[in-house]
Amino acid sequence: MANLNGKIALVTGASSGIGAATAVKLAEAGAKVGIAARRTEKLEDLKQRIEAKGGEALVIEMDVVDPSAIETGVKKLVETYGSIDILVNNAGLMPLSDIDQFKVDEWHRMVDVNVKGVLNTTAAVLPQMIKQHSGHIFNMSSIAGRKVFKGLSVYCATKHAVTAFSDGLRMEVGQKHNIRVTCIQPGAVATELYDHITDPGYRKQMDELASQMTFLQGEDIGDTIVFAAQAPAHVDVAELFVLPVEQGW
């Protein structure tokens, strides 16, 4: 397994859940981590947690919907550490509702964050990785990027898009630029995603689901990302589909 000591990582959506846990896991594995999100107060807390364990982190205020904010954040990370070796496109939203409720603002916000956010951040980081002729991009898809669920039509559409983009990106930059691409596809994970659900019926449904199985934790996905990042240089772990045992479908 490759050593992550000295590697530089950027994790979006790092203020909570999978993003925060992944940042901690990468730091524990030896990487210096740029932790990016809108909520900088939570990032400062995360930075302290990482440093308390002997790691190193850089707080980056970033909204993945804003290309200029991403460019500024990426520039800050490169100027501080000299490179970007790992990108974890993790920022995302998941407000459940039926289409005929017409929560159009929620649809557009999901497309902006879940799809355009991945595109924006990849576009900002990729030139540095091409210049280095090395890098590893992790895109956070979902079981919803494989299967469609009621109430999740738009969310599923965004995660299918992330899966498709990951495959195309791998084909186009893998051999040509020596950049690995891994699509992470989690099942049910205990995160703040469920706080975005404004429909009371679906909120209750998710609470019931949580009582029926042991959800994955953010740390489980963080371990998965570190595993793929530590694979030998000639190995690209293209997809990782990770489920709670009870969720098998």
Side-chain angles (χ1 to χ4, degrees), residues 80-193:
T80 302
Y81 294 132
S83 68
I84 300 180
D85 304 295
I86 298 167
L87 168 62
V88 182
N89 277 316
N90 168 73
L93 299 172
M94 193 188 77
L96 282 75
S97 66
D98 288 336
I99 295 296
D100 59 8
Q101 290 182 343
F102 297 105
K103 297 198 176 192
V104 178
D105 288 346
E106 291 184 357
W107 304 350
H108 285 290
R109 183 65 179 165
M110 275 190 281
V111 171
D112 286 344
V113 175
N114 297 2
V115 181
K116 292 182 181 179
V118 170
L119 300 180
N120 291 338
T121 311
T122 301
V125 169
L126 202 52
Q128 177 65 33
M129 290 185 172
I130 291 172
K131 179 181 176 181
Q132 298 166 187
H133 196 64
S134 67
H136 197 154
I137 297 173
F138 290 86
N139 291 331
M140 193 63 61
S141 182
S142 167
I143 184 175
R146 289 172 169 246
K147 179 183 172 87
V148 177
F149 298 89
K150 183 178 178 293
L152 281 167
S153 300
V154 177
Y155 180 78
C156 289
T158 67
K159 291 304 182 179
H160 275 69
V162 170
T163 299
F165 175 66
S166 300
D167 284 344
L169 182 64
R170 187 183 308 109
M171 294 174 192
E172 294 180 14
V173 304
Q175 184 176 7
K176 184 177 182 181
H177 297 296
N178 191 37
I179 297 170
R180 299 189 290 186
V181 180
T182 300
C183 186
I184 305 293
Q185 301 168 341
V189 184
T191 74
E192 289 185 1
L193 278 182

Side-chain angles (χ1 to χ4, degrees), residues 14-93:
S15 58
S16 66
I18 292 172
T22 297
V24 171
K25 292 291 185 177
L26 287 168
E28 288 176 346
K32 298 176 182 179
V33 187
I35 46 177
R38 293 174 300 156
R39 297 178 295 179
T40 54
E41 70 284 356
K42 288 186 173 290
L43 294 179
E44 292 292 350
D45 292 341
L46 177 60
K47 176 182 169 69
Q48 291 181 15
R49 285 171 52 201
I50 289 172
E51 291 177 343
K53 295 184 176 184
E56 189 168 347
L58 178 70
V59 170
I60 301 172
E61 184 175 1
M62 182 187 294
D63 183 347
V64 297
V65 175
D66 181 359
S68 64
I70 299 169
E71 291 286 352
T72 300
V74 169
K75 182 179 179 181
K76 178 180 179 181
L77 184 59
V78 173
E79 288 180 347
T80 302
Y81 294 132
S83 68
I84 300 180
D85 304 295
I86 298 167
L87 168 62
V88 182
N89 277 316
N90 168 73
L93 299 172

